[in-house]
Amino acid sequence: MSRKRRPAAPFAAPFATYLAAVLLASLAPFASAAEPPGTAVEGTLEVEISEQADANGRFIGRPVEEYFVRDDRGQRTRVTFAGELPRGFDPGARVRVHGDRDDGTSIHVDAPAGNATVLAAADAADAAGTSTAGTVTSASAGTATSTSGGTLAATATAAATVTRRLAVILVNFESNPVQIYTPEYAAGVIFTNANSIANFYAEESYGGLALTGDVFGWYTITYDTGTCDTTAIQARSDAAATAAGVSLTGYTNVMYVFPHLNACSFAGRALINGGLSWINTISTTNPKIHDWVVAHELGHNFGVHHANSYRCVTNGVRVALSATAADCTSTEYGDPFTVMGAANPMTRFPHTHAWHRIQFGFVPTSERRTITVSGRYMLGSTAWASSNPKSLRINRTGSTATRHWFELEFRQPGGLWDGWSSTAPVVNGPTLRLVADDTRRTQSWLIDTTPSTTSFSDAPLAVGQSFYDPFSKIEITTLGIVTDAAGHPAVQVKVLFPDTAPPTAPAGLTAESSHDGLTATLAWGAATTKVGVASYRVYRDEVLVATLPGTQLSFVDTDRTPGARYAYRVEAVDWVDLVGPSASTSLLMLIPQIGTTTASFADAPASAAASGSTPLRLTRSSTVTFGLHFSAPVMQLTTSSIGLSGSATGCTVSGLTGAGADYTVTVTGCSDGTVQASIAAGTVWDDLGYLAPAADASSATVLIDRVAPSTKKPSVRLPEGVRLSGSAMAIRLSLGATDAGSGVATFEVSRSIDGGAWKTIATGRKPASFDAWINAGHTYRFRIRSRDAAGNVSAWVESSLLKPGLVQETSSAIRYRGIWKTADGSGYSGGSTRWARYTSASATYTFKGRGIALVTTVGPTRGAAKVYIDGVYVQTVDLYRPSTSSRVLAFSHQFGSWGTHTITLVPVNTAGRPRVDLDAFAVIR
């Protein structure tokens, strides 16, 4: 009879002394001369585990573990032990045992000490990057020969996918040659269905494992169905497959599936970290391959043991964990969150947990974080390859038990198998297990962090709940669900080790009053802690007034009362909520007083506005700068200290540069209008601690003008009192414009003759008029533009086209009436003139144009004449002057538009000086 393996004690190593001796003796020779022949065997340790299940595939009872040593010839010897297996006797290890032979194929070891030796650890080859497995080979001469399946060496981050080749052999027995389902059905369950076992392992390995293979059979073998000998079933099935032409070379795993055999109590059996498994079809009335069982047995093949639950009761009360191992019991298959446990699986059975995925190689150890100091830690979910870390591991301080690690994982629903609801405890908090070193192929133990219930479905640690280990004094708290770097849900936990010291007191706490006595400023040095400061708490008169981030080392307390005294206290809180001692100080707030420091804006007015005499600074920019000077250095001058006034809108004090007593104030964003800067008395503090300035101070007003003037179209007239210059006559241009801002300052005049290029003839002219000379026989056009006091320039505005003409008194177009006499002389226009003295005389000229002027002689002997325009009397022109001057424009008249007009000249017969001359008419056409 094989012996059932007892679970290891959770918190003690019962064979510690023996194990040390075993390891030291691992290189001892195989057998002494005194050993009886046939009582010792050396080879690779194989562990077969058998599990029972009910008709629905639910595991029941306890599994049976059997141990075999396969020697170098491929022969297997069963080994039974008195008590627990020696440390290091893991599947795949090279071992040597000697003891009592029960029969030809079994050895019993009563006292392991000295009788069982580990020659090479199970994972030595895997650590070197190779596998202890090799390839399953076909049976020879009736003896089944296969090597171990080994641990998967690939991970989700490996460059290539690891392929496992599985041969499924369907066999029945001569006494019952029934084919209970088709090979195609079996292939679908294991390889090809969407929910196949192959897809299960592809999903939980993040694509790192490809399970491929073939289904062979049915083969009928000769076998005594009253017995349960899986070695014989394997050998005869291999032989039948070989006889049918099947080669098992190239397959890493072989699974033997047969109709229910009553003699075998198991539903599934497998080598742990090996290549062989057996499936005893459960139901004969409704035969099926239970995919749950197949996935579970392949999990053993790939290198992991069961996932158990761990129930602890202290003084009759259920607790999460006890300091005494005797208070706790491990239940096989008790972990409901993994395919290697879950005795009563869900419709979609779950993936393996994080520790088993690490043992498989699906999750590299680089994606596990080992916690050694207290702190807050984020744990990613195993649902996504991109989440990291997928496991947190904490050494159970002081424990020498096999399972001395707390392993934490976080699960999320997704894929085809992890089918929990969003409210399930397992997806809303971390799951805690006790596990061994990764090289140990032993059970994990699920810790029930909600021991008040009898179910393990709520075993995960919910948000806001804490788990405390009374043995190691380690405390774990779930803080909340967060988002990891990959954007997936993760969980944040707090881990507190028993030797964690609270933070020190903040160093060098100081407090300073503002000069106005309204603000207290506190500053301190960082507290010291291994965990890190999460926050600082600030108390005023023992009232909490602020909780600050751990990186902030100052605090500004506003709205205080000048002259009052306050007591301040600051304490540090670390990331595991430990509170350190306080740093304390007190502060008397200052009472403000105004001193003698004065302020002045240094910029003097740059100009005067054109529209008035008020001194102004003029600018076309929306940015204005002011110089600000104090009679002594000042402190706490800010942009808010400066006031702005005026008609401009949008102005903002955007800059303040300088130090001590001299500053530059920059104002931006202004619209057109005026702006003035000011500073109120008592706004800042001088270097003696007094408020400054002693009185209000204001700058000069700045006028912002960005709008050009509007220039009027120039009117043209022949100016009276100006003499002809040969045939050239003077014209007078009006210079007019409007400007609502800084006012019109100057004009510029250009002229074009006979359609030629424009030529500037006047610049910088003040508003009024401008005289220019034009000659008959040519055409002229004038244009003007204006400039305001701020420098804005208008567009050019052109006059009408001008055609000057000079009509001599001899022209036939002039009609004379009465007595007109002629006088010759070089001083007259054209060398002659006509004159009359009686009121009965008149001269009328009809013309087309826009202006006309009378050219005549003035002097002490000249009289007066009436002038009629278009038959209407307009003016009496007196030609008297103290001295005589010829070719003078004595009368001028302008029309609103070009047209046909008449001018009539009638002497008045002035007493003593009746003579009136008509020398010529000057015409603007």
Side-chain angles (χ1 to χ4, degrees):
M1 282 294 290
S2 63
R3 299 174 184 265
K4 293 184 180 179
R5 181 181 181 185
R6 296 199 301 264
F11 304 110
F15 298 110
T17 304
Y18 154 71
L19 291 174
V22 168
L23 295 175
L24 290 173
S26 62
L27 299 178
F30 170 61
S32 67
E35 283 180 342
T39 62
V41 64
E42 179 178 331
T44 300
L45 181 67
E46 295 181 350
V47 179
E48 286 185 10
I49 188 165
S50 303
E51 21 242 341
Q52 302 176 58
D54 61 18
N56 294 314
R58 292 189 294 258
F59 290 149
I60 57 177
R62 292 180 58 84
V64 176
E65 290 186 26
E66 298 178 85
Y67 308 97
F68 301 86
V69 175
R70 185 183 295 275
D71 62 23
D72 295 337
R73 297 171 300 167
Q75 298 294 327
R76 300 176 81 207
T77 301
R78 186 190 305 273
V79 180
T80 59
F81 295 89
E84 185 176 289
L85 247 67
R87 185 181 294 271
F89 268 64
D90 293 316
R94 181 79 177 180
V95 300
R96 181 181 64 197
V97 297
H98 58 89
D100 299 328
R101 286 270 181 183
D102 291 344
D103 51 36
T105 60
S106 300
I107 291 180
H108 177 66
V109 182
D110 280 324
N115 296 329
T117 304
V118 176
L119 301 178
D123 292 305
D126 286 344
T130 61
S131 173
T132 58
T135 303
V136 174
T137 59
S138 59
S140 175
T143 302
T145 304
S146 68
T147 56
S148 169
T151 302
L152 293 172
T155 72
T157 57
T161 299
V162 171
T163 299
R164 285 290 187 183
R165 293 275 295 157
L166 171 64
V168 179
I169 300 179
L170 307 178
V171 298
N172 52 27
F173 312 108
E174 287 183 341
S175 60
N176 183 26
V178 62
Q179 298 184 11
I180 54 178
Y181 33 71
T182 66
E184 291 75 17
Y185 163 78
V189 171
I190 299 173
F191 297 117
T192 61
N193 293 343
N195 60 345
S196 65
I197 305 305
N199 280 343
F200 171 83
Y201 277 104
E203 184 174 289
E204 85 153 9
S205 68
Y206 315 105
L209 171 64
L211 179 63
T212 64
D214 302 284
V215 177
F216 303 108
W218 292 86
Y219 304 128
T220 300
I221 61 174
T222 301
Y223 176 77
D224 181 3
T225 57
T227 64
C228 184
D229 186 346
T230 53
T231 300
I233 292 174
Q234 172 199 351
R236 292 171 189 178
S237 298
D238 286 353
T242 301
V246 174
S247 172
L248 296 181
T249 301
Y251 291 97
T252 58
N253 297 74
V254 180
M255 177 178 288
Y256 303 94
V257 182
F258 43 87
H260 187 72
L261 194 61
N262 289 330
C264 291
S265 61
F266 63 82
R269 185 172 189 174
L271 284 175
I272 298 181
N273 200 29
L276 302 177
S277 58
W278 295 263
I279 302 297
N280 184 14
T281 302
I282 297 171
S283 172
T284 55
T285 58
N286 183 25
K288 61 182 291 188
I289 296 179
H290 285 279
D291 50 2
W292 158 263
V293 176
V294 173
H296 183 99
E297 301 309 327
L298 286 176
H300 287 316
N301 274 183
F302 297 158
V304 301
H305 209 300
H306 288 151
N308 294 5
S309 59
Y310 199 52
R311 187 186 305 271
C312 298
V313 179
T314 300
N315 297 325
V317 178
R318 285 197 64 191
V319 294
L321 200 57
S322 172
T324 304
D327 291 345
C328 304
T329 304
S330 171
T331 300
E332 209 80 19
Y333 313 115
D335 189 336
F337 307 120
T338 165
V339 71
M340 301 312 296
N344 187 11
M346 301 181 302
T347 302
R348 296 189 294 176
F349 52 87
H351 287 303
T352 55
H353 56 60
W355 184 52
H356 281 168
R357 293 193 196 199
I358 290 171
Q359 289 184 304
F360 283 145
F362 298 162
V363 173
T365 54
S366 62
E367 294 187 11
R368 164 206 274 156
R369 184 170 185 180
T370 300
I371 306 303
T372 58
V373 296
S374 298
R376 298 187 180 204
Y377 300 93
M378 188 187 72
L379 173 61
S381 171
T382 57
W384 297 282
S386 56
S387 290
N388 188 16
K390 294 184 177 68
S391 168
L392 298 180
R393 183 171 69 163
I394 306 168
N395 201 343
R396 196 180 185 203
T397 307
S399 173
T400 58
T402 298
R403 298 165 187 82
H404 62 96
W405 295 101
F406 291 116
E407 191 93 19
L408 282 69
E409 72 158 0
F410 181 53
R411 304 286 279 274
Q412 285 292 285
L416 292 175
W417 282 273
D418 277 358
W420 296 289
S421 70
S422 60
T423 59
V426 72
V427 302
N428 288 286
T431 303
L432 281 67
R433 295 178 178 85
L434 281 171
V435 303
D437 294 334
D438 294 343
T439 56
R440 296 300 306 273
R441 312 294 171 176
T442 189
Q443 298 96 328
S444 61
W445 290 350
L446 173 65
I447 298 173
D448 188 359
T449 66
T450 313
S452 57
T453 66
T454 59
S455 170
F456 276 86
S457 63
D458 58 1
L461 189 62
V463 173
Q465 299 300 309
S466 296
F467 160 77
Y468 177 75
D469 176 19
F471 177 81
S472 66
K473 309 299 191 293
I474 293 172
E475 184 176 11
I476 302 171
T477 302
T478 302
L479 299 178
I481 306 299
V482 296
T483 301
D484 66 15
H488 301 305
V491 66
Q492 188 180 51
V493 298
K494 179 179 70 177
V495 179
L496 179 61
F497 288 89
D499 59 349
T500 303
T504 62
L509 174 63
T510 61
E512 183 178 358
S513 170
S514 63
H515 290 281
D516 58 8
L518 299 177
T519 302
T521 301
L522 279 64
W524 57 88
T528 303
T529 170
K530 289 184 178 180
V531 175
V533 176
S535 62
Y536 290 99
R537 296 172 182 165
V538 181
Y539 295 85
R540 182 202 325 118
D541 295 336
E542 291 307 313
V543 175
L544 179 66
V545 293
T547 300
L548 309 173
T551 55
Q552 185 170 331
L553 301 178
S554 63
F555 172 66
V556 177
D557 193 16
T558 58
D559 297 328
R560 299 299 91 224
T561 302
R565 180 176 293 277
Y566 299 100
Y568 288 98
R569 178 168 66 86
V570 181
E571 63 187 15
V573 183
D574 66 18
W575 286 108
V576 289
D577 301 321
L578 296 178
V579 181
S582 299
S584 301
T585 189
S586 63
L587 176 63
L588 178 63
M589 305 303 293
L590 295 179
I591 299 176
Q593 298 181 37
I594 293 181
T596 59
T597 299
T598 60
S600 61
F601 286 87
D603 291 5
S607 64
S611 58
S613 59
T614 303
L616 293 173
R617 284 178 56 197
L618 301 176
T619 181
R620 288 185 291 159
S621 174
S622 60
T623 298
V624 182
T625 59
F626 299 92
L628 176 58
H629 173 74
F630 294 90
S631 60
V634 299
M635 299 172 290
Q636 298 182 2
L637 177 65
T638 65
T639 56
S640 62
S641 306
I642 307 301
L644 298 177
S645 59
S647 62
T649 60
C651 297
T652 301
V653 180
S654 60
L656 181 65
T657 58
D662 293 289
Y663 299 86
T664 297
V665 179
T666 302
V667 178
T668 58
C670 292
S671 70
D672 280 16
T674 59
V675 61
Q676 185 180 36
S678 62
I679 184 169
T683 303
V684 297
W685 295 88
D686 64 19
D687 58 349
L688 297 178
Y690 292 97
L691 290 171
D696 297 348
S698 300
S699 72
T701 300
V702 175
L703 175 62
I704 301 170
D705 182 5
R706 291 188 293 266
V707 179
S710 176
T711 301
K712 299 178 181 179
K713 183 176 180 178
S715 62
V716 180
R717 64 187 299 270
L718 296 165
E720 295 175 351
V722 181
R723 298 179 69 242
L724 293 179
S725 177
S727 63
M729 64 187 73
I731 63 167
R732 181 162 293 165
L733 299 172
S734 64
L735 303 180
T738 59
D739 186 79
S742 56
V744 178
T746 61
F747 289 87
E748 182 177 352
V749 182
S750 294
R751 179 181 64 192
S752 172
I753 302 175
D754 296 330
W758 291 100
K759 182 179 179 180
T760 299
I761 58 174
T763 58
R765 301 290 297 187
K766 298 298 182 181
S769 62
F770 173 74
D771 290 350
W773 290 89
I774 58 178
N775 284 292
H778 297 279
T779 62
Y780 296 85
R781 193 181 295 276
F782 292 87
R783 67 179 185 180
I784 64 173
R785 64 181 178 184
S786 58
R787 184 186 304 268
D788 65 18
N792 300 297
V793 180
S794 75
W796 289 103
V797 179
E798 296 182 5
S799 69
S800 301
L801 181 67
L802 305 180
K803 295 180 181 182
L806 189 61
V807 180
Q808 298 297 332
E809 87 288 356
T810 59
S811 173
S812 61
I814 301 175
R815 293 181 292 109
Y816 293 96
R817 306 181 90 179
I819 300 173
W820 288 86
K821 295 182 179 182
T822 301
D824 296 326
S826 61
Y828 298 123
S829 176
S832 63
T833 185
R834 287 192 176 186
W835 60 273
R837 61 174 64 183
Y838 302 110
T839 57
S840 58
S842 67
T844 301
Y845 172 55
T846 300
F847 65 95
K848 292 182 178 181
R850 64 181 71 250
I852 194 165
L854 169 65
V855 182
T856 188
T857 298
V858 297
T861 63
R862 297 302 191 268
K866 293 181 178 181
V867 180
Y868 296 84
I869 299 296
D870 295 333
V872 177
Y873 170 77
V874 292
Q875 185 179 345
T876 297
V877 180
D878 191 350
L879 303 178
Y880 172 83
R881 302 291 186 273
S883 59
T884 301
S885 180
S886 61
R887 290 182 292 175
V888 174
L889 276 66
F891 168 81
S892 176
H893 187 82
Q894 306 303 122
F895 299 98
S897 61
W898 183 92
T900 300
H901 302 280
T902 62
I903 181 170
T904 300
L905 183 67
V906 179
V908 176
N909 193 12
T910 308
R913 47 182 183 90
R915 179 172 172 169
V916 173
D917 285 54
L918 173 57
D919 197 352
F921 285 114
V923 181
I924 300 297
R925 295 185 172 91

